Short mmCIF file of all heavy atoms in Angstrom, two decimals:
data_model
loop_
_atom_site.label_atom_id
_atom_site.label_comp_id
_atom_site.label_asym_id
_atom_site.label_seq_id
_atom_site.Cartn_x
_atom_site.Cartn_y
_atom_site.Cartn_z
N LYS A 74 61.35 20.17 -46.53
CA LYS A 74 59.92 20.05 -46.12
C LYS A 74 59.03 20.22 -47.28
O LYS A 74 57.99 19.62 -47.34
CB LYS A 74 59.62 21.18 -45.09
CG LYS A 74 60.35 20.89 -43.75
CD LYS A 74 60.14 22.01 -42.77
CE LYS A 74 60.87 21.67 -41.45
NZ LYS A 74 60.99 22.80 -40.58
N VAL A 75 59.40 21.02 -48.23
CA VAL A 75 58.62 21.28 -49.41
C VAL A 75 58.41 19.98 -50.22
O VAL A 75 57.30 19.57 -50.53
CB VAL A 75 59.15 22.35 -50.28
CG1 VAL A 75 58.44 22.44 -51.62
CG2 VAL A 75 58.99 23.74 -49.54
N PHE A 76 59.49 19.38 -50.52
CA PHE A 76 59.35 18.10 -51.35
C PHE A 76 58.71 16.99 -50.57
O PHE A 76 57.96 16.13 -51.08
CB PHE A 76 60.67 17.65 -52.05
CG PHE A 76 61.71 17.04 -51.13
CD1 PHE A 76 61.53 15.80 -50.57
CD2 PHE A 76 62.91 17.67 -50.89
CE1 PHE A 76 62.50 15.26 -49.76
CE2 PHE A 76 63.89 17.17 -50.14
CZ PHE A 76 63.69 15.92 -49.54
N THR A 77 58.90 17.00 -49.19
CA THR A 77 58.22 15.98 -48.39
C THR A 77 56.69 16.17 -48.47
O THR A 77 55.97 15.13 -48.68
CB THR A 77 58.73 16.02 -46.94
OG1 THR A 77 60.15 15.86 -46.92
CG2 THR A 77 58.08 14.99 -46.14
N MET A 78 56.26 17.41 -48.21
CA MET A 78 54.85 17.66 -48.26
C MET A 78 54.27 17.37 -49.68
O MET A 78 53.09 16.85 -49.74
CB MET A 78 54.50 19.06 -47.80
CG MET A 78 54.78 19.37 -46.32
SD MET A 78 54.14 18.07 -45.23
CE MET A 78 52.45 18.39 -45.25
N HIS A 79 55.03 17.74 -50.68
CA HIS A 79 54.57 17.45 -52.03
C HIS A 79 54.31 15.92 -52.17
O HIS A 79 53.26 15.42 -52.63
CB HIS A 79 55.58 17.83 -53.06
CG HIS A 79 55.38 17.42 -54.50
ND1 HIS A 79 54.24 17.81 -55.23
CD2 HIS A 79 56.01 16.50 -55.25
CE1 HIS A 79 54.30 17.25 -56.43
NE2 HIS A 79 55.34 16.40 -56.45
N GLY A 80 55.34 15.06 -51.72
CA GLY A 80 55.15 13.67 -51.84
C GLY A 80 54.06 13.13 -51.02
O GLY A 80 53.20 12.38 -51.54
N ILE A 81 54.00 13.50 -49.77
CA ILE A 81 52.96 12.95 -48.89
C ILE A 81 51.55 13.35 -49.45
O ILE A 81 50.71 12.42 -49.55
CB ILE A 81 53.10 13.45 -47.48
CG1 ILE A 81 54.32 12.90 -46.77
CG2 ILE A 81 51.91 13.13 -46.58
CD1 ILE A 81 54.70 13.41 -45.44
N ILE A 82 51.34 14.55 -49.79
CA ILE A 82 49.98 14.95 -50.24
C ILE A 82 49.64 14.26 -51.51
O ILE A 82 48.58 13.71 -51.70
CB ILE A 82 49.91 16.47 -50.23
CG1 ILE A 82 49.88 17.04 -48.86
CG2 ILE A 82 48.60 16.91 -50.96
CD1 ILE A 82 49.87 18.51 -48.76
N MET A 83 50.51 14.31 -52.49
CA MET A 83 50.23 13.72 -53.81
C MET A 83 49.99 12.20 -53.67
O MET A 83 49.01 11.69 -54.26
CB MET A 83 51.36 14.05 -54.76
CG MET A 83 51.29 15.45 -55.25
SD MET A 83 49.68 15.86 -56.06
CE MET A 83 50.13 17.22 -57.08
N VAL A 84 50.85 11.54 -52.97
CA VAL A 84 50.76 10.04 -52.94
C VAL A 84 49.48 9.62 -52.07
O VAL A 84 48.66 8.93 -52.61
CB VAL A 84 52.06 9.44 -52.39
CG1 VAL A 84 51.84 7.93 -52.10
CG2 VAL A 84 53.19 9.56 -53.32
N PHE A 85 49.54 10.07 -50.90
CA PHE A 85 48.54 9.49 -49.93
C PHE A 85 47.14 10.21 -50.00
O PHE A 85 46.15 9.55 -49.78
CB PHE A 85 49.00 9.59 -48.51
CG PHE A 85 50.22 8.73 -48.30
CD1 PHE A 85 51.42 9.26 -48.04
CD2 PHE A 85 50.13 7.31 -48.21
CE1 PHE A 85 52.59 8.44 -47.88
CE2 PHE A 85 51.15 6.51 -47.97
CZ PHE A 85 52.45 7.06 -47.75
N PHE A 86 47.12 11.45 -50.40
CA PHE A 86 45.85 12.20 -50.35
C PHE A 86 45.31 12.50 -51.79
O PHE A 86 44.21 12.96 -51.88
CB PHE A 86 45.94 13.42 -49.50
CG PHE A 86 46.22 13.01 -48.09
CD1 PHE A 86 47.56 13.06 -47.56
CD2 PHE A 86 45.20 12.62 -47.22
CE1 PHE A 86 47.81 12.68 -46.28
CE2 PHE A 86 45.53 12.28 -45.93
CZ PHE A 86 46.79 12.32 -45.45
N PHE A 87 46.14 12.34 -52.77
CA PHE A 87 45.56 12.51 -54.13
C PHE A 87 45.64 11.21 -54.92
O PHE A 87 44.58 10.67 -55.23
CB PHE A 87 46.25 13.59 -54.88
CG PHE A 87 45.79 13.66 -56.33
CD1 PHE A 87 44.47 14.04 -56.57
CD2 PHE A 87 46.53 13.21 -57.40
CE1 PHE A 87 43.98 14.04 -57.89
CE2 PHE A 87 46.07 13.21 -58.64
CZ PHE A 87 44.77 13.61 -58.89
N LEU A 88 46.75 10.67 -55.19
CA LEU A 88 46.88 9.57 -56.17
C LEU A 88 46.12 8.34 -55.69
O LEU A 88 45.43 7.70 -56.53
CB LEU A 88 48.30 9.23 -56.50
CG LEU A 88 49.01 10.26 -57.41
CD1 LEU A 88 50.52 10.01 -57.35
CD2 LEU A 88 48.49 9.97 -58.84
N ILE A 89 46.33 7.95 -54.45
CA ILE A 89 45.70 6.72 -53.96
C ILE A 89 44.18 6.74 -54.04
O ILE A 89 43.50 5.90 -54.44
CB ILE A 89 46.31 6.24 -52.69
CG1 ILE A 89 47.71 5.74 -52.98
CG2 ILE A 89 45.45 5.19 -51.98
CD1 ILE A 89 48.54 5.30 -51.75
N PRO A 90 43.64 7.83 -53.44
CA PRO A 90 42.10 7.85 -53.51
C PRO A 90 41.56 8.35 -54.85
O PRO A 90 40.41 8.20 -55.10
CB PRO A 90 41.71 8.83 -52.35
CG PRO A 90 42.88 9.68 -52.14
CD PRO A 90 44.16 8.90 -52.54
N SER A 91 42.49 8.93 -55.68
CA SER A 91 41.88 9.63 -56.91
C SER A 91 40.81 8.86 -57.64
O SER A 91 39.62 9.23 -57.55
CB SER A 91 43.02 10.08 -57.80
OG SER A 91 43.65 9.00 -58.29
N ILE A 92 41.19 7.87 -58.36
CA ILE A 92 40.22 7.22 -59.19
C ILE A 92 39.27 6.26 -58.41
O ILE A 92 38.08 6.34 -58.56
CB ILE A 92 40.90 6.48 -60.43
CG1 ILE A 92 41.57 7.42 -61.30
CG2 ILE A 92 39.83 5.60 -61.17
CD1 ILE A 92 42.17 6.82 -62.46
N PRO A 93 39.85 5.46 -57.51
CA PRO A 93 38.95 4.52 -56.80
C PRO A 93 37.82 5.29 -56.07
O PRO A 93 36.66 4.93 -56.16
CB PRO A 93 39.90 3.78 -55.84
CG PRO A 93 41.21 3.85 -56.46
CD PRO A 93 41.24 5.19 -57.19
N ALA A 94 38.24 6.28 -55.27
CA ALA A 94 37.26 6.92 -54.44
C ALA A 94 36.26 7.84 -55.12
O ALA A 94 35.12 8.04 -54.67
CB ALA A 94 37.93 7.63 -53.31
N THR A 95 36.66 8.33 -56.26
CA THR A 95 35.77 9.20 -57.02
C THR A 95 35.03 8.39 -58.12
O THR A 95 33.83 8.04 -57.96
CB THR A 95 36.45 10.38 -57.67
OG1 THR A 95 37.47 9.90 -58.48
CG2 THR A 95 37.05 11.27 -56.64
N LEU A 96 35.73 8.02 -59.16
CA LEU A 96 35.12 7.38 -60.31
C LEU A 96 34.69 5.97 -59.84
O LEU A 96 33.56 5.51 -60.18
CB LEU A 96 36.02 7.30 -61.49
CG LEU A 96 36.49 8.63 -62.07
CD1 LEU A 96 37.44 8.46 -63.14
CD2 LEU A 96 35.24 9.30 -62.62
N GLY A 97 35.50 5.24 -59.14
CA GLY A 97 35.19 3.89 -58.71
C GLY A 97 33.94 3.89 -57.81
O GLY A 97 32.99 3.13 -58.09
N ASN A 98 33.90 4.79 -56.88
CA ASN A 98 32.81 4.88 -55.95
C ASN A 98 31.47 5.21 -56.75
O ASN A 98 30.44 4.67 -56.48
CB ASN A 98 33.07 6.11 -55.03
CG ASN A 98 32.60 5.79 -53.68
OD1 ASN A 98 31.76 5.04 -53.42
ND2 ASN A 98 33.22 6.47 -52.68
N PHE A 99 31.63 6.04 -57.72
CA PHE A 99 30.41 6.48 -58.43
C PHE A 99 29.99 5.33 -59.40
O PHE A 99 28.79 5.05 -59.54
CB PHE A 99 30.80 7.68 -59.34
CG PHE A 99 29.61 8.41 -59.91
CD1 PHE A 99 29.03 9.52 -59.31
CD2 PHE A 99 29.01 7.96 -61.07
CE1 PHE A 99 27.97 10.17 -59.87
CE2 PHE A 99 27.96 8.61 -61.65
CZ PHE A 99 27.36 9.71 -60.95
N LEU A 100 30.93 4.68 -60.03
CA LEU A 100 30.62 3.76 -61.09
C LEU A 100 30.45 2.41 -60.83
O LEU A 100 29.68 1.64 -61.52
CB LEU A 100 31.68 3.93 -62.28
CG LEU A 100 31.67 5.30 -62.91
CD1 LEU A 100 32.98 5.59 -63.65
CD2 LEU A 100 30.47 5.40 -63.87
N ILE A 101 31.14 1.88 -59.78
CA ILE A 101 31.15 0.47 -59.59
C ILE A 101 29.65 -0.11 -59.35
O ILE A 101 29.21 -1.03 -59.99
CB ILE A 101 32.07 -0.03 -58.50
CG1 ILE A 101 33.48 0.01 -59.10
CG2 ILE A 101 31.83 -1.41 -58.03
CD1 ILE A 101 34.60 -0.33 -58.22
N PRO A 102 28.91 0.57 -58.40
CA PRO A 102 27.50 0.10 -58.32
C PRO A 102 26.75 0.16 -59.66
O PRO A 102 25.97 -0.70 -59.96
CB PRO A 102 26.93 1.01 -57.22
CG PRO A 102 28.09 1.48 -56.54
CD PRO A 102 29.17 1.63 -57.49
N LEU A 103 26.97 1.25 -60.36
CA LEU A 103 26.24 1.42 -61.65
C LEU A 103 26.64 0.31 -62.64
O LEU A 103 25.85 -0.28 -63.35
CB LEU A 103 26.57 2.80 -62.30
CG LEU A 103 25.86 3.98 -61.59
CD1 LEU A 103 26.54 5.25 -62.08
CD2 LEU A 103 24.40 4.03 -62.08
N MET A 104 27.91 0.01 -62.67
CA MET A 104 28.48 -0.97 -63.65
C MET A 104 28.01 -2.43 -63.25
O MET A 104 27.93 -3.26 -64.15
CB MET A 104 29.94 -0.86 -63.68
CG MET A 104 30.49 0.29 -64.46
SD MET A 104 32.23 0.25 -64.46
CE MET A 104 32.59 1.52 -65.79
N VAL A 105 27.85 -2.65 -61.98
CA VAL A 105 27.40 -4.02 -61.70
C VAL A 105 25.93 -4.08 -61.50
O VAL A 105 25.36 -5.14 -61.14
CB VAL A 105 28.08 -4.57 -60.36
CG1 VAL A 105 29.55 -4.56 -60.53
CG2 VAL A 105 27.66 -3.78 -59.20
N GLY A 106 25.16 -2.95 -61.81
CA GLY A 106 23.73 -2.98 -61.72
C GLY A 106 23.18 -3.05 -60.33
O GLY A 106 22.17 -3.66 -60.10
N ALA A 107 23.90 -2.41 -59.39
CA ALA A 107 23.39 -2.47 -57.98
C ALA A 107 22.86 -1.03 -57.59
O ALA A 107 23.19 -0.06 -58.31
CB ALA A 107 24.58 -2.80 -57.01
N LYS A 108 22.09 -0.98 -56.48
CA LYS A 108 21.59 0.31 -56.09
C LYS A 108 22.61 1.15 -55.30
O LYS A 108 22.54 2.37 -55.25
CB LYS A 108 20.36 0.11 -55.18
CG LYS A 108 19.17 -0.53 -55.91
CD LYS A 108 17.96 -0.35 -55.08
CE LYS A 108 16.78 -1.07 -55.70
NZ LYS A 108 16.76 -2.51 -55.48
N ASP A 109 23.57 0.47 -54.71
CA ASP A 109 24.58 1.22 -53.92
C ASP A 109 25.74 0.19 -53.66
O ASP A 109 25.64 -0.96 -54.09
CB ASP A 109 24.03 1.67 -52.62
CG ASP A 109 24.72 2.92 -52.06
OD1 ASP A 109 25.96 2.92 -52.31
OD2 ASP A 109 24.16 3.79 -51.50
N LEU A 110 26.82 0.69 -53.06
CA LEU A 110 27.83 -0.23 -52.56
C LEU A 110 27.27 -1.06 -51.38
O LEU A 110 26.19 -0.76 -50.89
CB LEU A 110 29.05 0.56 -52.06
CG LEU A 110 29.94 1.20 -53.20
CD1 LEU A 110 30.94 2.06 -52.54
CD2 LEU A 110 30.65 0.18 -54.05
N ALA A 111 28.00 -2.16 -51.11
CA ALA A 111 27.46 -3.05 -50.12
C ALA A 111 27.23 -2.36 -48.74
O ALA A 111 26.28 -2.63 -48.01
CB ALA A 111 28.34 -4.28 -49.94
N PHE A 112 28.22 -1.49 -48.43
CA PHE A 112 28.10 -0.86 -47.05
C PHE A 112 28.12 0.65 -47.19
O PHE A 112 29.20 1.29 -47.07
CB PHE A 112 29.28 -1.36 -46.21
CG PHE A 112 29.39 -2.85 -46.14
CD1 PHE A 112 30.53 -3.40 -46.69
CD2 PHE A 112 28.51 -3.60 -45.54
CE1 PHE A 112 30.67 -4.75 -46.59
CE2 PHE A 112 28.57 -4.99 -45.51
CZ PHE A 112 29.69 -5.62 -46.07
N PRO A 113 26.99 1.25 -47.43
CA PRO A 113 26.93 2.73 -47.68
C PRO A 113 27.44 3.53 -46.50
O PRO A 113 28.17 4.55 -46.68
CB PRO A 113 25.44 3.00 -47.87
CG PRO A 113 24.85 1.68 -48.22
CD PRO A 113 25.68 0.63 -47.52
N ARG A 114 27.12 3.05 -45.22
CA ARG A 114 27.60 3.87 -44.10
C ARG A 114 29.06 3.79 -43.97
O ARG A 114 29.75 4.80 -43.69
CB ARG A 114 26.93 3.35 -42.80
CG ARG A 114 25.51 3.91 -42.65
CD ARG A 114 24.88 3.37 -41.40
NE ARG A 114 24.56 1.91 -41.58
CZ ARG A 114 23.60 1.29 -40.99
NH1 ARG A 114 22.83 1.88 -40.11
NH2 ARG A 114 23.36 0.00 -41.16
N ILE A 115 29.71 2.66 -44.25
CA ILE A 115 31.14 2.53 -44.16
C ILE A 115 31.72 3.40 -45.25
O ILE A 115 32.77 4.03 -45.04
CB ILE A 115 31.53 1.03 -44.31
CG1 ILE A 115 31.13 0.31 -43.05
CG2 ILE A 115 32.96 0.90 -44.71
CD1 ILE A 115 31.51 -1.16 -43.06
N ASN A 116 31.08 3.53 -46.37
CA ASN A 116 31.51 4.35 -47.49
C ASN A 116 31.64 5.77 -47.02
O ASN A 116 32.56 6.52 -47.25
CB ASN A 116 30.62 4.23 -48.68
CG ASN A 116 31.19 4.74 -49.91
OD1 ASN A 116 32.38 4.81 -50.04
ND2 ASN A 116 30.31 4.96 -50.92
#
Side-chain angles (χ1 to χ4, degrees):
Chain A
K74 290 175 181 169
V75 168
F76 72 69
T77 302
M78 291 313 288
H79 170 68
I81 290 176
I82 288 175
M83 283 303 202
V84 169
F85 294 108
F86 297 97
F87 173 69
L88 282 165
I89 285 176
S91 62
I92 297 184
T95 56
L96 298 174
N98 220 333
F99 195 96
L100 291 163
I101 284 177
L103 284 163
M104 285 181 166
V105 302
K108 294 193 184 80
D109 206 325
L110 287 172
F112 308 115
R114 277 177 291 205
I115 288 181
N116 195 19

